[in-house]
Amino acid sequence: MAEHFELHVNGVARDVHDAWSGESLLYVLRERLHLTGTKGACEEGECGSCSVLVDDVLVCSCLVLAGSSTGRAITTIEGMSADGEPTDVQRAFVAAGAVQCGFCTPGLVMAAHALLAADPDAGEHEIREALSGNVCRCTGYGRILDAVATVARARSGASATAAEDSPGRE
Amino acid sequence: MESPRRLDDALRALAFAPGALVIAGGTDAMVEVNAGSRRDQLARGEVIAIDRVSELRRFRHDPSSASVLLGAGLTYTELMDEPLASLLPALAEASRTVGSPQIRNAGTIGGNLATCSPAGDALPVLSALDAVVHLADASGVRSLPVGEFMTGVKTTALASGELITGIELPVLGGWQGYAKVGVRNAMVIAIASACLATDVSTRSVRIALGSVAPTVIRCPDAEQFAAEHVDWDSTSVEPDVAARIGSIAAGAALPIDDHRSTAAYRRRAVEVLVGRLVRRGFAGG
């Protein structure tokens, strides 16, 4: 059965026409809206390469029914930086050599941002747990973990400095 | 496709299309959809997304009856949060072992029950706690003990036109925990799993096993032996008693050989897991 609906993707309302009832959010993002930064691989929630934020919650877009996502704020890797400049996580991935073939990178960057938004000074255990649903076949994960730890140190250092500088604080 | 906000709207939609694909978190249903199953329902547009039904997303703690009613649409991530993690610690511990953050953010306790996999991580906890499953259809409500709701491998007592609305669990005074064996810590389907829950007020022990029988099973012999042989006054246990409880529990398992493991390994895993849970639960003090 053909369906028509509107999705809010990266702050923009996007019309989806003639979708089939079973289309996943991953399929609609890539094949209908041509947002190909989100990768598709296992289509059963095992690999994390299709990770996006739906209302700021990290999910596998392959497991989200596109038609049930109307009215929710969907953020893909393309929406992580408004000005097109790489985010701190993306810069850290490049600096640490955490990217090899690059296929898993968008999903890992989304997972890292979801973690650091909730827990800016995440430690190694939290980082490993937060990235446990994202599979990488190239790197062996060491440099990915290093990259996220670097951002966590930078963000928690920055927030500690901001707190010390805040007016009215003894 | 329907995306109801209220439970009665969801039940009306389901009464109109009793064979509809009901989708909550999607972590099981979408795997089937992506693999090409469910074509008939999808071709007819008979899909009811219940992830926004507000009644299913809440819980109610009733201190006077020492019970919690969990909405079926609560996610594993929500079960890991306070206050539920303190009220139902074994359920929080089981939830932490499910999949990955992405899966725990989407998958629901009601979905775990509806799928009724022998390896469902929440199910040994629901069994050990004698959960009561609340069901509703457009004409009324009923409730069933979880042991009667689970009828076999991926089969349940859920009737056509019915939804799981909630799961009622007791808040017990006493240690409880969950443990599982798999090939790694994350993203793993249990080869064997176990829940142990103690109730200090009645000096009783409940033990349930996952992945070692068509549905989750209880271990009445091991429970009775444990209740009689642990030291309730010091909350401690002799090492040989803990080992014996593990081996009695392993005797209750009905495991099979399959692509994930062998029956012999599963039986041994149950022995180790239950013994370990007993030692954790009766660690003294």
Side-chain angles (χ1 to χ4, degrees):
Chain A
M1 180 179 268
E3 307 214 349
H4 311 280
F5 50 85
E6 184 182 84
L7 296 181
H8 288 264
V9 185
N10 300 330
V12 180
R14 304 288 300 264
D15 284 323
V16 177
H17 292 288
D18 297 321
W20 175 67
S21 295
E23 286 181 12
S24 68
L25 179 59
L26 168 66
Y27 181 88
V28 168
L29 289 171
R30 287 184 57 85
E31 306 301 331
R32 297 191 180 278
L33 303 180
H34 309 297
L35 292 167
T36 53
T38 303
K39 304 305 179 192
C42 74
E43 298 198 7
E44 51 187 33
E46 298 269 348
C47 77
S49 60
C50 67
S51 298
V52 301
L53 302 176
V54 176
D55 286 344
D56 293 325
V57 175
L58 186 75
V59 295
C60 292
S61 61
C62 72
L63 300 181
V64 176
L65 199 61
S68 73
S69 310
T70 55
R72 298 198 187 274
I74 298 157
T75 310
T76 70
I77 190 70
E78 290 90 345
M80 290 310 290
S81 101
D83 55 7
E85 289 297 310
T87 67
D88 55 354
V89 172
Q90 289 168 318
R91 290 196 304 274
F93 267 57
V94 173
V99 180
Q100 288 188 27
C101 88
F103 192 88
C104 69
T105 308
L108 275 158
V109 168
M110 297 304 288
H113 275 292
L115 167 69
L116 296 169
D119 185 4
D121 55 357
E124 186 190 349
H125 177 79
E126 289 78 17
I127 294 169
R128 284 178 177 272
E129 182 62 42
L131 303 187
S132 63
N134 293 77
V135 176
C136 171
R137 295 300 302 269
C138 305
T139 62
Y141 302 99
R143 292 175 181 198
I144 293 169
L145 298 169
D146 291 346
V148 180
T150 302
V151 181
R153 278 196 299 275
R155 287 202 193 180
S156 57
S159 61
T161 309
E164 282 161 18
D165 292 346
S166 64
R169 195 181 159 93
E170 294 292 315
Chain B
M1 198 194 81
E2 305 278 340
S3 194
R5 304 300 200 268
R6 288 159 38 95
L7 181 60
D8 31 357
D9 292 334
L11 295 173
R12 253 195 302 277
L14 196 55
F16 185 72
L21 171 64
V22 175
I23 183 162
T27 55
D28 286 326
M30 284 302 290
V31 174
E32 292 184 30
V33 170
N34 290 340
S37 304
R38 311 290 199 136
R39 294 271 167 174
D40 292 348
Q41 293 147 308
L42 294 166
R44 290 195 297 270
E46 291 180 358
V47 180
I48 304 173
I50 56 170
D51 58 318
R52 285 189 248 200
V53 176
S54 55
E55 292 98 323
L56 303 180
R57 303 299 303 260
R58 296 195 288 252
F59 69 90
R60 194 173 69 234
H61 174 215
D62 180 359
S64 65
S65 66
S67 69
V68 177
L69 180 61
L70 299 173
L74 290 169
T75 65
Y76 299 106
T77 299
E78 289 166 334
L79 298 174
M80 289 155 54
D81 284 344
E82 294 298 349
L84 289 176
S86 292
L87 294 169
L88 304 166
L91 190 58
E93 191 167 24
S95 298
R96 283 195 290 273
T97 76
V98 172
S100 63
Q102 290 90 326
I103 301 300
R104 295 193 289 271
N105 285 341
T108 66
I109 179 107
N112 207 225
L113 259 178
T115 295
C116 200
S117 159
D121 281 309
L123 305 183
V125 183
L126 302 191
S127 174
L129 295 180
D130 291 318
V132 174
V133 183
H134 290 226
L135 306 168
D137 65 15
S139 63
V141 299
R142 64 175 178 138
S143 58
L144 279 179
V146 69
E148 291 176 29
F149 179 82
M150 301 184 292
T151 55
V153 177
K154 297 196 172 182
T155 62
T156 71
L158 191 70
S160 177
E162 237 177 4
L163 280 182
I164 303 169
T165 56
I167 294 113
E168 191 178 337
L169 295 164
V171 177
L172 299 181
W175 188 89
Q176 54 183 249
Y178 174 85
K180 85 185 199 191
V181 172
V183 289
R184 69 176 181 124
N185 280 341
M187 281 317 303
V188 84
I189 293 171
I191 287 169
S193 62
C195 176
L196 181 140
T198 62
D199 183 355
V200 173
S201 67
T202 59
R203 295 197 162 189
S204 65
V205 176
R206 296 109 169 274
I207 299 169
L209 309 177
S211 288
V212 292
T215 64
V216 169
I217 54 169
R218 288 282 290 269
C219 306
D221 294 345
E223 293 177 1
Q224 189 183 342
F225 184 88
E228 289 167 359
H229 290 83
V230 298
D231 186 333
W232 287 100
D233 295 319
S234 63
T235 337
S236 64
V237 65
E238 294 297 327
D240 60 323
V241 170
R244 179 87 182 114
I245 297 167
S247 70
I248 298 172
L254 304 162
I256 57 166
D257 292 332
D258 68 6
H259 62 290
R260 254 179 227 115
S261 189
T262 63
Y265 180 88
R266 286 189 161 104
R267 201 179 291 282
R268 173 69 181 142
V270 166
E271 191 175 352
V272 171
L273 289 176
V274 171
R276 195 176 288 166
L277 287 169
V278 170
R279 290 197 305 277
R280 281 173 62 198
F282 295 91

